[in-house]
Amino acid sequence: MKLDLSGLEPATLHQHSDHNLCDILSPSPSFKIPNDTDFDGFQKAALQMVKPAKGTTTLAFIFKEGIMVAADSRASMGGYISSQSVKKIIEINPYLLGTMAGGAADCQFWHRNLGIKCRLHELANKRRISVTGASKLLANILYSYRGMGLSIGTMIAGWDETGPGLYYVDSEGGRLKGTRFSVGSGSPYAYGVLDSGYRWDMPVEEAAELACRSIYHATFRDGASGGVASVYYVGPQGWKKLSGDDVGELHYKYYPVTENIVEQEMVEVSA
């Protein structure tokens, strides 16, 4: 006896038995490749075309009493100002601060990640991580992601058992130790004010005013910087926020409006 198995065949295949199976199945997705002999050059040009222009101003310097850290609060994408209230000084732990320059999402994520690793180090070793160790940890992480599109230029500032420490770390894994740094599109303007007014034996009040003034002058000349000039002080007892002044109000502090004095008033002479 012969069994009839025709009812077990798929309906689609049964109905289209005369057609090729490839005609029934949906075609695989595809896209056209650019007609260019130098594909690597085309890719770099395309990335530069869609890459948004970013701008910021951050600075930090070591002086006799500790470390002063300051930054603006403007977030921009090309000519578009997306926010005036971005917190660019990130509190990693009570003794450690990080600054943001570059991509906001990249900086915030990896500083948060660094904060987690610093806390785990403290729990495992019963002591706070040093500024040197924290900066090296971040540099090693970013080095492993080099060439993958991250945009980070940060400063790690803090106080540990050896005293104050200040390091610059970027998304290529570079790491520099120093006493004065400014990062961002407004850094050339900030450096000019900072270098002219810096002294090692400054009191805290003078150092805070210098940091605030440097940020203000950078925002005055750099269109991608602005908002609020935030100033933090890092000392033996940890960090403390000293001020957060709107740069629009600071303008009238450094350039007060003066009434023009008329030396001689012209009057009409009657005929």
Side-chain angles (χ1 to χ4, degrees), residues 59-64 66-69 155-157 164-168 176-182 191 194-195 198-200 202:
L59 64 88
F61 60 89
I62 299 177
F63 64 110
K64 183 179 179 181
I67 309 174
M68 203 61 66
V69 185
M155 291 176 287
I156 303 298
L166 177 61
Y167 289 85
Y168 165 77
L176 295 173
K177 182 179 181 179
T179 57
R180 275 176 296 183
F181 286 118
S182 182
Y191 266 129
L194 181 60
D195 290 341
Y198 175 81
R199 289 187 298 109
W200 169 256
M202 287 187 296

Side-chain angles (χ1 to χ4, degrees), residues 56-219:
T56 187
T57 304
T58 62
L59 64 88
F61 60 89
I62 299 177
F63 64 110
K64 183 179 179 181
E65 302 295 331
I67 309 174
M68 203 61 66
V69 185
D72 73 315
S73 64
R74 175 174 292 180
S76 59
M77 183 179 292
Y80 174 69
I81 299 172
S82 56
S83 176
Q84 289 276 66
S85 56
V86 177
K87 192 173 184 180
K88 295 186 181 180
I89 300 178
I90 299 173
E91 299 145 3
I92 298 172
N93 67 31
Y95 292 84
L96 204 60
L97 293 175
T99 63
M100 283 174 45
D106 294 341
C107 291
Q108 288 180 350
F109 176 84
W110 289 112
H111 277 102
R112 194 181 304 118
N113 181 270
L114 178 63
I116 295 171
K117 293 183 181 299
C118 290
R119 179 57 177 160
L120 291 174
H121 179 278
E122 185 176 347
L123 292 172
N125 298 278
K126 310 301 182 198
R127 57 188 295 184
R128 291 197 319 271
I129 191 171
S130 64
V131 183
T132 302
S135 63
K136 187 63 176 176
L137 189 60
L138 180 61
N140 287 342
I141 294 172
L142 296 180
Y143 182 79
S144 64
Y145 284 92
R146 71 192 187 283
M148 297 188 183
L150 292 180
S151 177
I152 299 174
T154 181
M155 291 176 287
I156 303 298
W159 194 288
D160 55 25
E161 298 171 352
T162 62
L166 177 61
Y167 289 85
Y168 165 77
V169 180
D170 62 23
S171 50
E172 298 300 312
R175 176 172 168 267
L176 295 173
K177 182 179 181 179
T179 57
R180 275 176 296 183
F181 286 118
S182 182
V183 186
S185 59
S187 59
Y189 311 108
Y191 266 129
V193 179
L194 181 60
D195 290 341
S196 63
Y198 175 81
R199 289 187 298 109
W200 169 256
D201 56 348
M202 287 187 296
V204 175
E205 294 77 12
E206 183 181 349
E209 197 280 331
L210 175 62
C212 184
R213 180 158 43 94
S214 301
I215 293 295
Y216 159 72
H217 282 286
T219 62

Side-chain angles (χ1 to χ4, degrees), residues 225-239:
S225 302
V228 175
S230 300
V231 180
Y232 281 70
Y233 166 67
V234 185
Q237 305 303 318
W239 57 261

